[in-house]
Amino acid sequence: ADVSHELRTPIAALRTFNELLSEGQVPDEATRQEFMEQSRQQIERLDWLASNLLELSKLDSGLVLLDLRPDDLRAVVENAIAQAQPSADRKRVKLVAKLPGEPLRQRHDPQRMGQVLGNLIGNAIKFTPAGGRVEVSLAPTDDGAEFRVTDTGVGIEPRELPYVFDRFYRGAGASEQRATGSGLGLSIVRSIVEMHNGRVAVTSVPGKGTQVSVVLPADVSVSSPAAVRA
């Protein structure tokens, strides 16, 4: 039911744009170009939904193999920051990293953890106004390591916090920004973190910002051998 609801909106919009353009009911070139741009955005949304649904399906069915390597976790943060920097620059959001001075090596899947940080940093940038700040930190813990993504954005209402990892949940606040996403990113984050036997948590103050914490244990033991390639 959720998937059907999510797909119905862009499909209906595309049908309307196509009918108006095909029937010659567009009065001028500026309107035609606007319809074409709106159609492009709806196609991108459909592609985003399909990609995220496929990703969740693979995670749910155990088809994803973790490629666990004893690499430096700082590289995950550095790569995620580099990929997100153009987006932060466009929004005029300051993106900074706080990393240990020494390598922090422990077993993890670099690509999947990069996906986790990419999602979290992308969300933080999206909900942080121009002139704001997003900080990505990494620190050792007693039994592993902790990533934190902290922003000075719009924040999340307390009543919404228990649901932010639910699929398709976008919340009531900041509706314009939330409407542009798939509502699946945080579900994917939670699935990948739990595959690492880790945990993820969110704290937030409306109007002041949000912090997402990802804690990974040093000893990543996977219950199903089929779910890991070490």
Side-chain angles (χ1 to χ4, degrees), residues 127-225:
F127 295 112
T128 299
R133 172 187 172 99
V134 174
E135 179 180 287
V136 186
S137 66
L138 170 67
T141 64
D142 290 340
D143 63 346
E146 180 180 19
F147 298 95
R148 289 185 180 181
V149 178
T150 307
D151 65 59
T152 59
V154 297
I156 304 169
E157 293 292 335
R159 67 178 182 275
E160 297 179 359
L161 282 175
Y163 308 105
V164 294
F165 292 103
D166 291 353
R167 296 175 187 189
F168 298 109
Y169 185 79
R170 298 195 189 95
S175 57
E176 182 178 349
Q177 294 101 319
R178 294 185 195 278
T180 62
S182 67
L184 298 172
L186 287 180
S187 295
I188 292 173
V189 164
R190 180 173 60 181
S191 294
I192 294 173
V193 171
E194 289 179 349
M195 288 177 68
H196 283 77
N197 288 343
R199 61 185 187 275
V200 57
V202 180
T203 58
S204 186
V205 178
K208 292 188 176 181
T210 299
Q211 181 178 95
V212 183
S213 167
V214 174
V215 178
L216 297 183
D219 182 19
V220 180
S221 58
V222 180
S223 56
S224 171

Side-chain angles (χ1 to χ4, degrees), residues 33-106:
Q33 290 299 323
E34 181 182 351
F35 280 4
M36 294 296 289
E37 173 60 20
Q38 291 292 326
S39 296
R40 183 191 65 78
Q41 293 179 14
Q42 295 299 336
I43 290 170
E44 287 184 356
R45 174 160 174 72
L46 285 171
D47 181 62
W48 178 248
L49 279 168
S51 298
N52 280 271
L53 286 168
L54 178 61
E55 183 72 4
L56 271 175
S57 177
K58 290 191 294 184
L59 290 168
D60 284 348
S61 60
L63 295 178
V64 172
L65 301 177
L66 288 183
D67 185 9
L68 296 178
R69 305 177 184 181
D71 290 344
D72 187 356
L73 288 171
R74 296 180 304 175
V76 176
V77 177
E78 291 166 348
N79 291 337
I81 289 281
Q83 292 182 25
Q85 192 64 61
S87 177
D89 291 343
R90 283 194 299 271
K91 281 205 67 179
R92 291 185 290 117
V93 170
K94 188 175 182 180
L95 181 58
V96 297
K98 287 181 62 177
L99 301 176
E102 299 295 328
L104 181 49
R105 296 185 181 278
Q106 70 176 56

